Amino acid sequence: MNPVIEHLPRLRRYATALTKDQERAEDLLQDTLERAYRKWHLWTPGGSLRAWLFSIMHNVYMNQLARESRRPVAMSLDEAMDESSAGQNESQHATRDLLSALAKLPDEQREVVLLVCLEDMKYEEVAYVLHIPIGTVRSRLARGRERLRRLMEGLPSEDNITTFKVVK
Amino acid sequence: MSRQNRPVNNEDLVAFADGQLEPARERLVADYLHNNPDAVHRVESYRQQSTELHRLFDPSLSAPIPQHLLPPEHPSFGLSKSIALAPRWGWGWGMAAALAWVSLGVSMGWMLKAYQEGPTEQLALARQSHVLMRQASVAHAVYAPEVMHPVEVNAKDEAHLAKWLSKRLDKKLSIPSFAEHGFHLVGGRLLPAEPGTAAAQFMYENKDMQRFTLYVRAMEKKEADTSFRYGENKGVGVFYWIDRDWGYALSGKLDRATLLELADVAYRQFNL
């Protein structure tokens, strides 16, 4: 059985979380797979196939964003939320908060947050997927998650800045 | 201050929540948490984020994947002629078999090509990639030291630069970014490659004024995609590669490891 198959559900989950739209997620997955099969001979067995596939998805997604030259729209967010949390009244509030907070993150922070929190990737793997140094992974992640927390708890965000002056 | 001794910061709290701290640092953060209820609250919130994201998006893991996501008749999937004749696949074993066909088709395609082409063709291909390397290194040597006019179009007109060169090369070019690696775009220029063929050169610079250039041109003879090759010409190091009918070269007087890293970044971005 081809090893790509086992990664498809996760690729689609990531695409869904990134685009927050079923149709766009499937477009993203499709474009990613086409590219992956076209570049199949460039994948070196022994490396992490998952990281390689996610890295292709990242490239394709960046390209799609550039092409559309627009950010994901808040509207489609709410639709996705309504679908996925229907009938879960108890946690509906938290869900809406998290989704709208996620939508307020810059793309670069959202990707890191999703790869770590949702895809459970090691920071090294995220660095590979996004073609950035691991230090950048750490700082983007910390900024993104602190921002999410502040948005969800209704706190002002300026504290972010002082926190990160300490870091560098 | 060493990494071990610096005070606990938010990156530590996040990495602690993710269980991705090295053991020594993890112990230190754990101690710190004993006296800092606010930090404990943060760690809990960060963990909650992961839990919530899973709850929110995990349902998509078990949903069936639509068949149309892998249309065999799609032109870009045409790695092998046999694929075009294959019936529409289902998922699971059908797709596995199809993928096996693709891999087989690709490797057989290469073997056949090498067999049919013979030594003359091989030599011509080797020659053309050597020419690519030489042209790129010469273009680098000429323009990289230039102070007044290193580029024709400055980075501040990046959108125009991309559009103009895309038009002249008849290829949609998106200009790669190396900002994460400390290099910013200086700009670019159009260069002659062969009679009737143009090349594009993009120049990048870091804060130490070190420069490298990226050279892109159409290749005359189609060649199977190549892996990175390295060459040097009068002190200019060049990583070059061919992707379908396009040749790419990244040149600079930088150490080989840095050049390779940059070439890898360029390769991935050009393959968007």
Side-chain angles (χ1 to χ4, degrees), chain A residues 61-75:
Chain A
Y61 178 62
M62 286 291 120
N63 199 32
Q64 288 182 352
L65 280 191
R67 207 163 45 218
E68 293 166 9
S69 66
R70 66 171 170 86
R71 302 274 154 155
V73 191
M75 275 303 289

Side-chain angles (χ1 to χ4, degrees), chain B residues 80-103:
Chain B
S80 149
K81 286 266 193 286
S82 60
I83 292 302
L85 303 175
R88 211 177 163 81
W89 316 314
W91 281 74
W93 286 107
M95 181 182 149
L99 284 171
W101 260 111
V102 173
S103 316

Side-chain angles (χ1 to χ4, degrees), chain A residues 124-154:
Chain A
E124 291 84 2
E125 212 175 350
V126 177
Y128 171 87
V129 168
L130 302 177
H131 332 310
I132 56 178
I134 190 161
T136 311
V137 173
R138 290 179 197 277
S139 59
R140 273 187 199 173
L141 181 70
R143 252 176 292 158
R145 289 176 83 173
E146 178 57 9
R147 197 165 188 165
L148 272 188
R149 182 181 80 87
R150 297 195 149 264
L151 284 165
M152 292 183 68
E153 295 178 6

